[in-house]
Amino acid sequence: MALTERQPLQEKKAPRARPMSAKAVVALCATSFFLGLLLSGRVTLLTPPSTSNGGGAAASGRASGISLFTDDCDQRSKVDDGNPNDIMKEVSRTHQAIQSLDKSVSSLEMELAVERAKRNGGQGLAVPSKGGLPKAFVVIGINTAFSSKKRRDSLRDTWVPRGDKLRRLQKEKGIVIRFVIGHSATPGGALDRAIDVEEAATADFMRLDHVEGYHELSAKTRTYFAAAVATWDADFYVKVDDDVHVNLGMLTARLAKHRARPRVYVGCMKSGPVLSQKGVKYHEPEYWKFGDEGNKYFRHATGQIYAVSRDLASYISINQPILHRFANEDVSLGAWLLGLEVEHVDDRSLCCATPPDCEWKKQAGNVCAASFDWSCSGICKSVDRMRAIHSACGEGDGAVWASAAAV
């Protein structure tokens, strides 16, 4: 079978453009040059002020013409010849400005998420507009139970202020402290009435819409952050157990270092084993989700005390319905934050041991922010020992008032 050869198509020649005249080329070049000078800021449209001295005006014109092209050189020479300390200060100010901008952007993103959740009718949303909320530097929620009145009193006798001092601490230093508790399985029962009486006398409770129970700590933590964000506009939200000793001045000083940063998660970071065996303390029913038997958890803050920044607490509040709860509350919080752009701050000052450890550190000038016994996941026999620990490891009653942290 013979193949026919395709004939190439005849290309039509485009009409040749008329060449530009030499005058037109020169005019175009000159226009482009002066337009470039105007746009680059090399010349000004304003004429220099006239003077009575013609020679002075000419000299001024020549000087302005010279300075016109030496401005940038002068700027570069100032930077090159500048004091190294001044340059470092400028770099530091720039770094702080970037951090502040990053935090502002993060805050705007979280507010946008709130508005989206409102429009979508998101359940569990508890983040109203920040405009009407009282300002605070930190909200410290002390996790407590119905049976822990003696523990609460031991804290009130040591590091938790009472009455006017508690209100003054909130007003002047922006430090809010509340004992956090839910309600019993039968609301209005004897347990709830006992808390009502205690609250009337102390005014230091935060009551949650939550049924109390040891195996519901993950849900309680989630509810606490949502309620705290809906009540106070704070930089940080802290959760601490009622058998832990805290130095408020040192705690606020440690947190203040991270005030300009967005999405901060502060605590003593650990990675314990995932316990698959039934009947043991801290058993994880969903151990299979963490890989093969014998694996460890991802890095997370130990549950005795930790802090999260405002945007992370807001994130928890917004996403309450879909945040999965594991058996252990500290693991649950770590899981909620694991997939986010979060800065994990491992602060060992938040997990000092009880005396002699925290006492030696205090004598060396390194006052601990929090102390407890690892073996008891809190202070062993805290009711009996809290006062002695406060005496040995406490920073002094005036430390918190001297701290720089404020609203």
Side-chain angles (χ1 to χ4, degrees), residues 99-115 127-128 130 135 233-235 259-263 309-312 314-315 318:
Q99 283 188 333
S100 178
L101 180 61
D102 192 16
K103 185 173 182 179
S104 299
V105 170
S106 176
S107 179
L108 289 173
E109 288 175 344
M110 195 55 60
E111 290 181 10
L112 180 59
V114 170
E115 293 303 320
V127 187
K130 294 294 182 183
K135 297 283 186 178
D233 180 14
D235 290 316
R259 196 171 193 175
R261 303 175 184 175
R263 300 179 301 279
S309 55
R310 176 198 295 118
D311 37 13
L312 295 184
S314 298
Y315 169 84
I318 294 167

Side-chain angles (χ1 to χ4, degrees), residues 2 10 35 38 45 54 78 95 168 182 200 207 209 218-219 229 249 257 267 270 285 297 309-310 365 368 379 393:
Q10 288 287 349
L35 183 60
L38 287 173
L45 295 178
K78 287 179 182 178
H95 181 64
R168 181 185 163 209
R207 310 287 286 271
D209 184 12
S218 293
V229 167
K257 295 180 180 180
K270 66 173 185 177
Y297 288 112
S309 55
R310 176 198 295 118
C368 294
I379 296 176
C393 303

Side-chain angles (χ1 to χ4, degrees), residues 370-390:
S371 305
F372 56 88
D373 299 311
W374 284 101
S375 59
C376 296
S377 298
I379 296 176
C380 302
K381 299 180 179 179
S382 65
V383 173
D384 300 327
R385 299 176 60 214
M386 188 64 72
R387 189 181 292 274
I389 293 172
H390 185 66

Side-chain angles (χ1 to χ4, degrees), residues 168-374:
R168 181 185 163 209
L169 190 66
Q170 179 173 336
K171 181 178 180 180
E172 296 183 12
K173 306 302 292 184
I175 302 173
V176 179
I177 305 176
R178 296 291 187 273
F179 289 100
V180 180
I181 196 167
H183 56 79
S184 65
T186 55
L191 295 175
D192 297 298
R193 292 197 299 271
I195 296 297
D196 292 339
V197 173
E198 187 178 348
E199 182 179 20
T202 61
D204 56 6
F205 277 94
M206 181 179 182
R207 310 287 286 271
L208 301 179
D209 184 12
H210 165 80
V211 178
E212 284 291 324
Y214 178 78
H215 296 291
E216 295 297 328
L217 287 180
S218 293
K220 184 176 182 179
T221 300
R222 190 177 62 180
T223 305
Y224 157 65
F225 281 123
V229 167
T231 308
W232 295 281
D233 180 14
D235 290 316
F236 293 98
Y237 299 85
V238 172
K239 176 264 174 184
V240 58
D241 290 337
D242 61 4
D243 55 356
V244 173
H245 179 265
V246 174
N247 281 316
L248 292 173
M250 181 55 62
L251 174 62
T252 53
R254 307 291 290 192
L255 293 177
K257 295 180 180 180
H258 312 292
R259 196 171 193 175
R261 303 175 184 175
R263 300 179 301 279
V264 179
Y265 173 33
V266 185
C268 285
M269 300 296 164
K270 66 173 185 177
S271 178
V274 180
L275 302 179
S276 59
Q277 184 180 354
K278 292 183 179 180
V280 300
K281 191 176 183 181
Y282 306 128
H283 165 62
E284 179 57 70
E286 297 180 276
Y287 62 90
W288 61 274
K289 290 185 177 180
F290 298 91
D292 296 332
E293 189 172 345
N295 277 359
K296 290 187 175 182
Y297 288 112
F298 42 78
R299 193 71 61 179
H300 62 279
T302 186
Q304 286 83 358
I305 180 171
Y306 49 75
V308 297
S309 55
R310 176 198 295 118
D311 37 13
L312 295 184
S314 298
Y315 169 84
I316 294 172
S317 175
I318 294 167
N319 295 283
Q320 281 189 81
I322 58 173
L323 293 178
H324 184 71
R325 293 170 292 163
F326 290 101
N328 300 298
E329 154 247 343
D330 52 353
V331 174
S332 294
L333 178 65
W336 299 339
L337 306 180
L338 186 62
L340 306 180
E341 288 292 341
V342 173
E343 180 180 358
H344 288 60
V345 178
D346 184 17
D347 191 339
R348 310 314 289 183
S349 176
L350 291 171
C351 53
C352 295
T354 55
D357 180 61
C358 59
E359 187 175 12
W360 289 343
K361 290 178 179 177
K362 175 185 175 181
Q363 292 172 355
N366 299 317
V367 177
C368 294
S371 305
F372 56 88
D373 299 311
W374 284 101

Side-chain angles (χ1 to χ4, degrees), residues 32 43 50-51 100 116 119 126 131 138 147 151 212 249 314-315 328 346 378 394:
S32 301
V43 299
S50 59
T51 61
S100 178
R116 286 174 176 169
R119 293 177 184 178
V138 59
S147 59
R151 284 188 179 184
E212 284 291 324
S314 298
Y315 169 84
N328 300 298
D346 184 17

